[in-house]
Amino acid sequence: MTTEKKGESSMGNPFVWVLRASLLCLGAAIAINLAVAFLRPVLPWIVAAIELGSCAWIAVAIVRWRRSRW
């Protein structure tokens, strides 16, 4: 069951729609700022882990390629 009347459009009041959209944008901006603030101290460790993993993957790929030639 919906609380809307039959004559009302599904969009509702445009002011309420704009208010909800702006609050959603504000919440997203706050969440992104918090995520950046919390990830900044560990970002070098994350980048180093990605680089180490990619180097290991390349080394394994080269070893497998050299063994498969014979």
Side-chain angles (χ1 to χ4, degrees):
M1 289 199 198
T2 61
T3 58
E4 294 180 5
K5 297 177 184 174
K6 286 186 179 181
E8 280 188 36
S9 67
S10 62
M11 287 295 288
N13 191 351
F15 295 111
V16 173
W17 184 82
V18 170
L19 176 67
R20 287 182 182 167
S22 63
L23 287 176
L24 180 67
C25 289
L26 176 66
I30 291 172
I32 288 173
N33 281 331
L34 284 174
V36 167
F38 287 138
L39 283 178
R40 188 171 300 235
V42 295
L43 189 61
W45 291 97
I46 294 171
V47 170
I50 291 171
E51 287 178 357
L52 185 64
S54 62
C55 287
W57 182 77
I58 289 170
V60 168
I62 289 173
V63 167
R64 290 181 67 181
W65 175 70
R66 295 187 106 203
R67 287 187 181 195
S68 68
R69 289 194 311 175
W70 305 105

